[in-house]
Amino acid sequence: AAGSEGNDVSYEGVRKSDGAVVRLKGKATKSDCGQASCAVMSYKFCNHNATYIINNVISNLTVVVNNKIVLSEDGKWKNGSE
């Protein structure tokens, strides 16, 4: 996930099985730390009936389709500018 100081972010994911790429726009949720710039806790992206949630606290990607978890995978995320 990549973003600026605002809440708008983008996501690019690659499916392991066939290499298909998905690119989505979404929102970041920051902690309420009382500072001008607080850590991002999670990112949320929607694609039709699927919601992608990256949880930075536990380094997990969860994909929810029609209110059912279809994927929950731990991993490492990198900023698109890296």
Side-chain angles (χ1 to χ4, degrees), residues 1-2 10-14 16 40-43 45 52-63 71-82:
S10 60
Y11 169 84
E12 180 176 300
V14 180
K16 291 179 185 177
V40 173
M41 303 297 285
S42 65
Y43 300 95
F45 308 90
Y52 297 72
I53 303 163
I54 296 175
N55 183 324
N56 277 347
V57 176
I58 61 172
S59 296
N60 177 271
L61 167 66
T62 301
V63 180
L71 174 76
S72 181
E73 182 173 275
D74 294 339
K76 295 189 185 224
W77 323 113
K78 66 178 180 177
N79 186 316
S81 62
E82 292 179 350

Side-chain angles (χ1 to χ4, degrees), residues 8-72:
D8 293 329
V9 293
S10 60
Y11 169 84
E12 180 176 300
V14 180
R15 189 168 39 210
K16 291 179 185 177
S17 61
D18 62 3
V21 176
V22 62
R23 291 179 182 91
L24 305 171
K25 302 263 186 222
K27 297 286 182 187
T29 301
K30 295 184 178 182
S31 66
D32 186 13
C33 67
Q35 303 293 318
S37 181
C38 299
V40 173
M41 303 297 285
S42 65
Y43 300 95
K44 183 176 182 179
F45 308 90
C46 295
N47 182 23
H48 304 289
N49 61 345
T51 302
Y52 297 72
I53 303 163
I54 296 175
N55 183 324
N56 277 347
V57 176
I58 61 172
S59 296
N60 177 271
L61 167 66
T62 301
V63 180
V64 180
V65 178
N66 296 324
N67 296 318
K68 293 182 182 176
I69 295 173
V70 297
L71 174 76
S72 181

